[in-house]
Amino acid sequence: MDVVVQGVLLGGLYATTALGLSLVFGVIRMVNLAHGEFLVVGAFLTSVLVVAIGGDPLLLAIPAALIVGLVAYPLQRFVLNPLLLHSTEAPITATFGVSVVIQSLLLLAFTSNPRTINADYANGRIEIAGIGMRTSLLIALAIAIVLVVVLDLVLNRTRFGRQVKAAAIDPEAAGLVGIDLKHTYAMVLAIAAAVATIGGTLIALSFSVDPVSGTSWLLRAFTVVVIGGLGSIRGTLVGGLIVGIVESAGAVIFGAQYRDVVVFGILVVVLLLRPNGLFARVRSA
């Protein structure tokens, strides 16, 4: 039972870090290779605000998310959108270039030293029925659930959400009925980057982060998205929980050094049996 609980808590963090990646793929049909760097930027920006202003990092993650989202909007609108007109590969290659640039800038600004975000509750533990739970991971799970509910409501209950779903299902038809695809896509990446900022903050509350750790978190997020279902917001939460439980169980059964082997092994199995993931919805966000 302890393994399952720890896996669920870790899975909540994984789901939060993967939501932005899932949203972008679900709507724009683009794998954002800079997603890992968005997570790292979020962690570093929140840590800078904590040092400069002081206060709770979870609250400071909100202005940090707004800042990163404002930067991501013109990136999609003026750089990636034009590339989408040429081919599906061009914007993916461009996001790889963006990731390299961001990583280089982070190394110049902060060197390669890892850092964490310190909070009174970050290292705390809550014990229920004899099972110890890290407070930071418990908070991450709660935030993951909240973000999934909010995104789901936005996509299904608002006018903007209907525009996003229309753009995801049939971009050409959406454009013909007056939906501004350039603005919609840019807003989607902005929201995804903002969510990634919150995910990066949660990472730094539980683990150390350095300027080159984005790639490892991108791989984990990609695994969550593929297992949960390509483009499925709800599936991303389930996928995160599955990856967390599998990783925790693999570490106990085979040893901590083999947990990545177990996780990516499950990924290969899912790809073989259900290439679109366990909970993928056809042409939907």
Side-chain angles (χ1 to χ4, degrees):
M1 180 59 70
D2 183 69
V3 172
V4 174
V5 171
Q6 301 307 325
V8 168
L9 295 176
L10 186 60
L13 176 62
Y14 287 162
T16 306
T17 62
L19 278 173
L21 187 67
S22 179
L23 180 63
V24 169
F25 183 86
V27 178
I28 309 176
R29 304 296 161 184
M30 179 185 74
V31 178
N32 178 18
L33 297 181
H35 180 76
E37 276 60 44
F38 284 163
L39 293 169
V40 176
V41 166
F44 274 84
L45 182 55
T46 301
S47 70
V48 168
L49 292 177
V50 169
V51 173
I53 301 175
D56 187 89
L58 292 178
L59 294 178
L60 292 175
I62 297 175
L66 293 175
I67 293 171
V68 177
L70 288 173
V71 174
Y73 181 94
L75 172 64
Q76 179 67 46
R77 175 119 195 189
F78 303 112
V79 178
L80 299 179
N81 277 342
L83 293 175
L84 283 169
L85 299 175
H86 298 287
S87 69
T88 56
E89 293 82 8
I92 297 175
T93 304
T95 60
F96 174 73
V98 170
S99 71
V100 173
V101 170
I102 294 175
Q103 190 176 112
S104 299
L105 292 175
L106 288 172
L107 285 169
L108 288 173
F110 301 102
T111 71
S112 60
N113 295 326
R115 67 170 57 192
T116 59
I117 296 177
N118 296 316
D120 293 337
Y121 50 79
N123 296 318
R125 297 181 71 86
I126 297 177
E127 187 168 317
I128 300 177
I131 300 176
M133 295 176 284
R134 290 179 61 181
T135 309
S136 59
L137 292 180
L138 192 60
I139 292 172
L141 175 61
I143 290 177
I145 295 172
V146 170
L147 287 175
V148 167
V149 171
V150 170
L151 286 174
D152 192 67
L153 289 174
V154 168
L155 291 174
N156 292 291
R157 302 292 179 85
T158 67
R159 180 180 179 183
F160 172 73
R162 289 191 290 271
Q163 292 176 347
V164 168
K165 295 185 75 173
I169 295 171
D170 193 333
E172 292 185 5
L176 290 175
V177 298
I179 295 176
D180 187 345
L181 292 177
K182 294 180 180 178
H183 171 70
T184 302
Y185 285 170
M187 282 296 297
V188 166
L189 186 66
I191 293 171
V195 172
T197 299
I198 296 174
T201 301
L202 294 172
I203 291 173
L205 282 170
S206 301
F207 306 99
S208 62
V209 180
D210 61 69
V212 298
S213 61
T215 301
S216 61
W217 284 103
L218 171 65
L219 291 174
R220 192 62 96 236
F222 183 74
T223 302
V224 169
V225 170
V226 171
I227 290 178
L230 297 172
S232 171
I233 297 300
R234 298 179 186 178
T236 300
L237 176 59
V238 179
L241 299 181
I242 291 174
V243 171
I245 293 172
V246 168
E247 180 175 324
S248 296
V252 171
I253 297 173
F254 302 105
Q257 67 272 27
Y258 293 106
R259 60 185 181 183
D260 286 343
V261 176
V262 175
V263 169
F264 292 120
I266 294 296
L267 172 62
V268 172
V269 172
V270 171
L271 285 172
L272 289 173
L273 299 178
R274 290 182 63 88
N276 289 327
L278 300 178
F279 303 96
R281 294 179 296 177
V282 178
R283 303 296 292 171
S284 174

